[in-house]
């Protein structure tokens, strides 16, 4: 790696598996001191150990996102403590995805999904962005989704939360950008979980047939985009949602 994040600190939420783990690992390899955040301490420590084994710096920070401002503030405070007093990069990655239809969604599920996917990153950003603005620098990366802009017949609830996140990205860029904070988002396509057994189909794999990629992506593809946005290579990038989706939303799908 090139050390593009040398001497920077980063908090990555939902960093104990899949996309979050890939982002945390890539940040560590690029020189950042990473706060690996998640609910499962054992899996979180595995990520920390892997980053340290590769010569990077990382610490685990427990988080149980419920959407409350109090828990988001507590996470921000603990991450700032383990990172030595500042957070240079925030990655709002943690999320929950119930594959349910609209009629089958009950109110507790609705509230939980909006709590984790929208309220938690909202109040975490509210807790961290002002210090970035005061310092005159900082990066916030949100995770959207390709189904925020291309409707599919399931998961309307999840889709709507990611649409909200992508809208917040643009609003936050307008709010905090003039103070030196860059806010952007990544919209992943169908990503093959690292835990998918060899030879098995990944969830949603059929959605990628006929796209330019013609297959799901890997978590590392999202991590590379995150490194770019976090680094000075993206110094002139504000309020943008980068599609890393194998062409799923931008290119006509040709039926096989």
């Amino acid at each position: 790696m090139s050390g593009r994040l040398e001497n920077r600190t980063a908090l990555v939420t939902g960093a104990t598996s899949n996309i979050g783990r890939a982002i945390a690992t890539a940040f560590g390899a690029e020189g950042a001191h990473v706060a690996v955040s998640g609910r499962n301490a054992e899996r979180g420590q595995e990520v920390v150990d892997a980053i340290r084994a590769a010569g990077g710096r990382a610490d685990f920070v427990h988080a149980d996102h419920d959407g409350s401002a109090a828990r988001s503030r507590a996470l921000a405070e603990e991450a700032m403590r383990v990172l030595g007093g500042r957070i240079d990069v925030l990655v709002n990655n943690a999320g929950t995805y119930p594959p349910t239809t609209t009629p089958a969604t009950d109110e507790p599920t609705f509230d939980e999904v909006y709590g984790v996917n929208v309220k938690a990153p909202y109040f975490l950003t509210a807790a961290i962005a002002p210090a970035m603005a005061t310092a005159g620098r900082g990066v916030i990366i949100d995770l959207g989704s390709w189904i925020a802009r291309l409707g599919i017949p399931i998961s309307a609830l999840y889709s709507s939360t990611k649409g909200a996140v992508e809208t917040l990205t643009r609003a936050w860029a307008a709010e905090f950008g003039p103070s030196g904070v860059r806010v952007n988002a990544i919209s992943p396509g169908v990503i093959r979980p690292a835990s998918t057994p060899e030879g098995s189909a990944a969830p949603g794999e059929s959605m990628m047939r006929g796209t330019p990629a013609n297959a799901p992506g890997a978590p590392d593809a999202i991590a590379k985009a995150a490194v770019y946005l976090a680094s000075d290579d993206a110094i002139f990038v504000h309020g943008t949602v980068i599609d890393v989706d194998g062409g799923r939303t931008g290119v006509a799908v040709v039926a096989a």
Side-chain angles (χ1 to χ4, degrees):
M1 294 286 186
S2 59
R4 285 185 286 175
L5 303 181
E6 197 72 39
N7 298 320
R8 299 187 192 183
T9 62
L11 167 60
V12 182
T13 69
T16 60
S17 63
N18 296 328
I19 289 174
R21 178 172 186 152
I23 292 173
T25 301
F27 279 13
E30 290 286 354
H33 181 184
V34 186
V36 174
S37 174
R39 286 181 289 187
N40 189 304
E42 183 177 352
R43 290 194 306 177
Q45 193 59 47
E46 288 175 0
V47 180
V48 168
D49 291 344
I51 293 172
R52 291 176 177 174
R57 298 178 65 201
D59 292 279
F60 175 71
V61 178
H62 181 267
D64 191 0
H65 301 280
D66 65 355
S68 69
R71 286 197 178 177
S72 289
R73 284 195 299 268
L75 172 57
E77 291 168 2
E78 180 62 11
M80 194 167 294
R81 184 189 68 79
V82 303
L83 293 174
R86 76 177 198 277
I87 298 172
D88 298 319
V89 182
L90 166 63
V91 180
N92 286 314
N93 168 73
T96 184
Y97 176 87
T100 184
T101 61
T102 300
T105 302
D106 57 28
E107 188 172 4
T109 299
F110 184 99
D111 291 342
E112 177 188 1
V113 176
Y114 261 84
V116 174
N117 292 4
V118 181
K119 286 183 67 180
Y122 185 94
F123 286 113
L124 186 59
T125 298
I128 291 173
M132 290 180 172
T134 298
R137 55 181 167 76
V139 174
I140 298 171
I141 302 170
D142 300 318
L143 269 291
S145 173
W146 66 279
I147 58 174
R149 280 165 289 138
L150 187 63
I152 63 172
I154 58 172
S155 299
L157 176 59
Y158 176 83
S159 299
S160 70
T161 66
K162 289 303 181 178
V165 167
E166 292 187 7
T167 297
L168 284 170
T169 296
R170 292 182 284 270
W172 285 335
E175 184 174 359
F176 300 112
S179 299
V181 182
R182 290 190 294 105
V183 187
N184 294 286
I186 301 169
S187 176
V190 177
I191 301 298
R192 174 183 286 273
S195 59
T196 303
E198 188 70 28
S200 299
E205 186 164 332
S206 62
M207 296 285 190
M208 294 302 294
R209 292 175 190 156
T211 65
N214 204 40
D220 285 349
I222 311 304
K224 289 174 182 177
V227 168
Y228 162 69
L229 288 175
S231 75
D232 288 342
D233 291 348
I235 197 68
F236 201 52
V237 182
H238 291 261
T240 294
V241 179
I242 296 180
D243 293 323
V244 186
D245 64 2
R248 188 62 184 79
T249 55
V251 180
V253 173
V254 179

